[in-house]
Amino acid sequence: DTAVSQTPKYLVTQMGNDKSIKCEQNLGHDTMYWYKQDSKKFLKIMFSYNNKELIINETVPNRFSPKSPDKAHLNLHINSLELGDSAVYFCASSQDPIFGTYEQYFGPGTRLTVT
Amino acid sequence: GEDVEQSLFLSVREGDSSVINCTYTDSSSTYLYWYKQEPGAGLQLLTYIFSNMDMKQDQRLTVLLNKKDKHLSLRIADTQTGDSAIYFCAETSSGYSTLTFGKGTMLLVSP
């Protein structure tokens, strides 16, 4: 059973298009995240959701809009894609940090290429 | 803001020990982690250490934490070619659950 899954694994699209990446976790976790890994492998947090509510938004352009229909899903919608959006996007999940543990489990990543 | 630094590259021979080092600046770091990323794959949580611990051992992995110097290391004993990957050091601070990552250390294990 896959703990954190993402679809699609690869996404190639043209500048200006709108696309979505989906993420699902079956770990019963309360908190989900999106991270971006650039071409130099640098990983940076984009968003964090706890029980479907946005708790962290790290200076991400408002073309990126996360949506959490329930606490097992956190989707990422990107409008007006730009070349600089090309990266690998990782979804992750963890228990609520109030339990004192911050182990985050990552999905396999979605490689987005904007041409 | 928080900063996590790692050396970018390490090359060892199969059977040797590997030591990957990491330094961090945030004195309120609560947990420190090591993640492994194989080519084209996601991040695998290897181990983590709470900030009030000095050492944690898990099979071939030993994590050492020097909180005074804000230095974390990962030792892999009897390194195998399958250990070749990028290793990321990461930290979280009390009250925040997001991870701050280092830039990753590429470990290359030669036969």
Side-chain angles (χ1 to χ4, degrees):
Chain A
D1 283 346
T2 304
V4 183
S5 59
Q6 295 178 227
T7 54
K9 190 167 171 64
Y10 300 95
L11 184 54
V12 181
T13 188
Q14 291 184 324
M15 281 175 60
N17 285 347
D18 304 338
K19 290 293 179 186
S20 292
I21 307 171
K22 294 186 177 181
C23 177
E24 177 181 2
Q25 55 92 7
N26 62 8
L27 297 166
H29 287 163
D30 297 307
T31 307
M32 296 185 73
Y33 314 81
W34 278 109
Y35 289 85
K36 179 180 179 181
Q37 186 176 43
D38 63 21
S39 59
K40 296 182 180 175
K41 302 294 186 185
F42 185 51
L43 275 152
K44 191 169 169 59
I45 182 69
M46 298 174 70
F47 300 101
S48 171
Y49 266 71
N50 180 272
N51 278 314
K52 304 192 299 174
E53 291 192 14
L54 178 67
I55 55 173
I56 290 176
N57 177 348
E58 288 284 337
T59 59
V60 176
N62 58 15
R63 296 182 296 104
F64 290 79
S65 51
K67 285 186 173 51
S68 182
D70 55 63
K71 71 176 193 177
H73 296 84
L74 180 62
N75 304 323
L76 184 64
H77 188 76
I78 316 169
N79 290 327
S80 304
L81 278 154
E82 300 178 358
L83 292 176
D85 297 331
S86 294
V88 181
Y89 292 84
F90 287 101
C91 177
S93 73
S94 72
Q95 277 192 313
D96 193 318
I98 65 170
F99 293 111
T101 177
Y102 298 86
E103 294 175 53
Q104 290 187 24
Y105 295 89
F106 282 75
T110 296
R111 182 175 293 276
L112 171 66
T113 304
V114 182
T115 62
Chain B
E2 308 90 4
D3 197 18
V4 179
E5 298 284 341
Q6 300 177 237
S7 53
L8 294 182
F9 187 75
L10 176 64
S11 179
V12 300
R13 287 192 174 275
E14 194 172 21
D16 288 349
S17 291
S18 308
V19 180
I20 303 171
N21 294 302
C22 171
T23 58
Y24 59 98
T25 58
D26 189 354
S27 56
S28 65
S29 293
T30 309
Y31 285 90
L32 295 122
Y33 304 81
W34 286 103
Y35 280 85
K36 177 183 179 183
Q37 185 179 32
E38 296 181 18
L43 285 95
Q44 175 193 353
L45 176 63
L46 287 178
T47 187
Y48 65 93
I49 189 167
F50 188 51
S51 58
N52 68 354
M53 297 168 65
D54 298 324
M55 185 183 93
K56 183 177 180 181
Q57 187 152 5
D58 184 0
Q59 299 181 331
R60 292 191 297 124
L61 304 179
T62 303
V63 178
L64 294 177
L65 175 61
N66 182 327
K67 195 171 180 183
K68 175 175 168 287
D69 294 339
K70 300 191 185 67
H71 182 265
L72 181 75
S73 67
L74 174 70
R75 179 177 181 269
I76 306 173
D78 187 25
T79 315
Q80 303 297 307
T81 54
D83 294 325
S84 293
I86 299 176
Y87 290 80
F88 290 94
C89 172
E91 62 92 24
T92 56
S93 302
S94 178
Y96 294 89
S97 60
T98 58
L99 292 164
T100 299
F101 283 91
K103 287 185 167 61
T105 299
M106 179 175 289
L107 174 64
L108 181 64
V109 183
S110 52

